[in-house]
Amino acid sequence: MVVPSSISSSPSPNERVIRAEIPIIDLSKKRSQVRELIVKASEEYGFFKVINHGVAKQTIEKIEREGFDFFAKSASEKHKAGPPNPLGYGIKNIGFSGDKGEVEYLILHTNPQSISQRSKSISKDPSKFRVCGSCAVNEYVHAVRNLACEILDLMAEGLWAHDKTVFSRLIRDVDSDSLIRLNHYPSFNDTNLDDWDPSLPYHHHHHHMKRKSRIGFGEHSDPQILTLLRSNDVEGLQISLENGMWVSVPPDSSAFCVNIGDVLQAMTNGRFISARHRVMANSAKARMSMMYFGAPPLHAWIAPLQELITRENPPLYRAFTWCEYKKATYSLRLGDGRLDLFRVHDHHHHEHTIVAA
């Protein structure tokens, strides 16, 4: 097997960030047209935005309010919900092997019982987080899971898969390992997150803009199937193109960003790209983003779809369980190419030993 290449999460001084046209797909358009656009964007970028997605504005506003309320608490209050194991509250330490970022975050499992257990340390009013129809997190999870499933079914149709639910049923499964993550990036005026007071007014000091670019969250791909991401109207998200150029993604509160994850790249036999992305924390305003990571059950087998395997396109990846893939993720650094470890190599290649960076 190949040794994963270690990729620096720090931007180089001469690196160019461009503004390119990110595909924006209107889900209310004709289904046959929508699925074609989704497949094209997944192949070319591994990333696109969806509008007219059907997730109610108040559902988004409720969880956003809860998130900002939580991050506005004192450090000692927030630390009661941590350290992350991997669920819970964390700060600065974001990877599994020493990766750091200018970020504080909260990770919750999408399972209602798990949300309920953590509710006391998260919300001013725990009843909002309890297992109930109006609960902010459960309501949001339900809405974004449905959206993720709709997108995955459109992908399966667009790839002419025999089973149109081949992707979506993995995250609909009662044992799905899906997560919700809230990331909070301080403004560039707040140099130290540990004693950062979000209640203080933000000042626009233009000389701060000349400071070295601050990495909020280093370069990585998402290991799961699909990520649905949205943020407040503060920019910072960048995606990497195949030519090594970085594209700045303008924030858009009416859209969801969709990221292809490693599992979907494997299941499409490399046809869809797992988008590499990062977040810069260089804004004069604090940024909060919310991610839904759609993941399979731990013991689900992941393998390229038979329909996508031909003599010309043999399987690129061996079959693996999500549990096995997660373990590999935890043994590597954030920026490492994890899927390389699961590639099929022909007999002309020598097998290399795996080295966890």
Side-chain angles (χ1 to χ4, degrees):
M1 294 199 176
V2 293
V3 177
S5 56
S6 185
I7 297 156
S8 165
S9 62
S10 303
S12 57
N14 56 358
E15 190 175 79
R16 277 185 59 212
V17 176
I18 59 170
R19 282 198 176 278
E21 287 299 307
I22 302 288
I24 298 173
I25 299 171
D26 183 344
L27 293 182
S28 66
K29 295 273 193 255
K30 201 168 142 202
R31 193 171 180 90
S32 57
Q33 186 191 356
V34 170
R35 68 187 182 216
E36 272 179 40
L37 290 171
I38 285 178
V39 167
K40 190 168 186 283
S42 303
E43 289 173 339
E44 290 178 9
Y45 292 88
F47 183 95
F48 52 93
K49 286 182 175 182
V50 290
I51 55 171
N52 291 324
H53 45 68
V55 179
K57 204 170 173 206
Q58 59 267 36
T59 301
I60 292 166
E61 284 168 355
K62 267 191 233 170
I63 191 171
E64 207 163 62
R65 249 192 329 269
E66 288 285 337
F68 274 118
D69 283 353
F70 174 76
F71 291 120
K73 289 180 174 192
S74 69
S76 61
E77 281 291 297
K78 286 183 287 197
H79 282 296
K80 286 179 188 168
N85 62 349
L87 303 176
Y89 173 75
I91 188 164
K92 298 237 180 193
N93 293 314
I94 50 175
F96 310 108
S97 308
D99 301 287
K100 289 190 184 319
E102 292 296 317
V103 64
E104 57 176 343
Y105 57 89
L106 184 64
I107 305 178
L108 301 168
H109 203 281
T110 55
N111 165 318
Q113 284 72 27
S114 175
I115 291 169
S116 157
Q117 282 160 13
R118 291 196 169 263
S119 65
K120 291 179 183 64
S121 56
I122 293 162
S123 178
K124 283 179 187 163
D125 176 1
S127 65
K128 286 185 189 166
F129 271 79
R130 289 228 173 97
V131 187
C132 58
S134 61
C135 147
V137 181
N138 284 340
E139 191 181 312
Y140 185 76
V141 166
H142 182 73
V144 290
R145 184 196 291 125
N146 283 342
L147 174 58
C149 288
E150 185 188 342
I151 292 166
L152 289 168
D153 289 349
L154 283 159
M155 287 172 171
E157 285 176 31
L159 291 169
W160 302 98
H162 301 316
D163 176 0
K164 301 297 183 277
T165 66
V166 66
F167 306 132
S168 63
R169 66 165 185 237
L170 290 168
I171 63 173
R172 282 211 190 276
D173 193 293
V174 68
D175 294 322
S176 155
D177 191 38
S178 301
L179 302 172
I180 285 280
R181 178 179 183 125
L182 278 67
N183 283 343
H184 193 230
Y185 302 93
S187 75
F188 61 58
N189 301 305
D190 302 305
T191 50
N192 188 346
L193 250 183
D194 296 316
D195 53 23
W196 173 46
D197 182 355
S199 63
L200 293 175
Y202 299 117
H203 302 293
H204 295 251
H205 297 308
H206 292 291
H207 65 272
H208 280 305
M209 293 304 265
K210 295 191 177 71
R211 272 199 206 160
K212 181 177 174 288
S213 288
R214 296 193 323 168
I215 289 282
F217 210 106
E219 177 182 352
H220 65 287
S221 64
D222 294 338
Q224 295 89 348
I225 299 174
L226 196 76
T227 307
L228 291 183
L229 174 147
R230 66 171 316 285
S231 71
N232 61 331
D233 282 321
V234 177
E235 60 180 46
L237 178 64
Q238 298 176 353
I239 65 162
S240 175
L241 302 182
E242 279 190 304
N243 61 9
M245 204 74 86
W246 284 94
V247 176
S248 187
V249 180
D252 178 354
S253 57
S254 65
F256 272 92
C257 293
V258 182
N259 260 11
I260 305 296
D262 296 346
V263 165
L264 199 52
Q265 179 170 323
M267 290 183 81
T268 59
N269 205 32
R271 194 160 152 187
F272 287 2
I273 309 162
S274 180
R276 297 192 73 82
H277 52 286
R278 69 184 183 195
V279 176
M280 307 307 291
N282 298 330
S283 171
K285 274 181 71 187
R287 179 177 186 270
M288 188 175 80
S289 59
M290 301 187 290
M291 279 72 62
Y292 166 78
F293 296 109
L298 286 171
H299 299 294
W301 280 95
I302 306 303
L305 298 189
Q306 284 302 313
E307 298 92 310
L308 300 179
I309 294 171
T310 60
R311 185 171 284 184
E312 298 75 41
N313 294 304
L316 289 180
Y317 306 100
R318 68 171 178 82
F320 54 87
T321 64
W322 170 239
C323 182
E324 189 185 357
Y325 197 75
K326 247 176 105 164
K327 279 183 184 153
T329 302
Y330 281 96
S331 72
L332 299 174
R333 291 197 60 125
L334 192 65
D336 287 329
R338 301 168 288 246
L339 261 180
D340 289 346
L341 300 177
F342 296 86
R343 273 190 173 270
V344 170
H345 296 284
D346 62 39
H347 299 301
H348 304 300
H349 284 75
H350 294 295
E351 292 269 289
H352 294 290
T353 49
I354 301 173
V355 178

